[in-house]
Amino acid sequence: HYSQGHTPGLMLTEVEMPGGPVVFCGDLIPGTPWVHLPITMGYDRYPELLIDEKEQILGDLLRRGGRLFYTHDTHVAMSGLAQDGNGRYQATDPLAEVIGLQD
């Protein structure tokens, strides 16, 4: 995955795992609060584009049972993903640390 919204050319690595893909979110989704689509950072280069990119990546991961690995969340290293009845994305099944990921 690539993002042009935070920093042009930002690469988000995806690792296929038996339990579903894991995406290293980098600065596109640096922590659980940013899973909500309209939440962006003040220094994102193209915030409207970033929201579209997040929607595409999150929708794809949700369909494939993917998980998110966060770079800047002090409490959650990785989480699952869900969408509530209003269509809002949210982090689920948070893990404070990831050691020896098997699935």
Side-chain angles (χ1 to χ4, degrees), residues 14-23 57-68 78-82 92-93 103:
E14 180 174 315
V15 178
E16 288 296 326
M17 299 294 293
V22 175
V23 171
I57 288 170
L58 293 174
D60 175 60
L61 283 176
L62 183 63
R63 284 187 294 280
R64 297 187 297 134
R67 293 166 286 174
L68 305 170
M78 187 170 75
S79 77
L81 187 62
T92 61
D93 306 315
D103 64 354

Side-chain angles (χ1 to χ4, degrees), residues 25-36 39 41 54 68-79 91:
C25 298
D27 287 334
L28 183 70
I29 306 171
T32 56
W34 288 270
V35 172
H36 186 45
I39 304 296
M41 290 183 271
K54 282 172 50 175
L68 305 170
F69 184 87
Y70 306 104
T71 55
H72 299 295
D73 196 308
T74 58
H75 301 290
V76 179
M78 187 170 75
S79 77

Side-chain angles (χ1 to χ4, degrees), residues 33-46:
W34 288 270
V35 172
H36 186 45
L37 288 178
I39 304 296
T40 64
M41 290 183 271
Y43 49 85
D44 287 326
R45 297 290 301 272
Y46 305 103

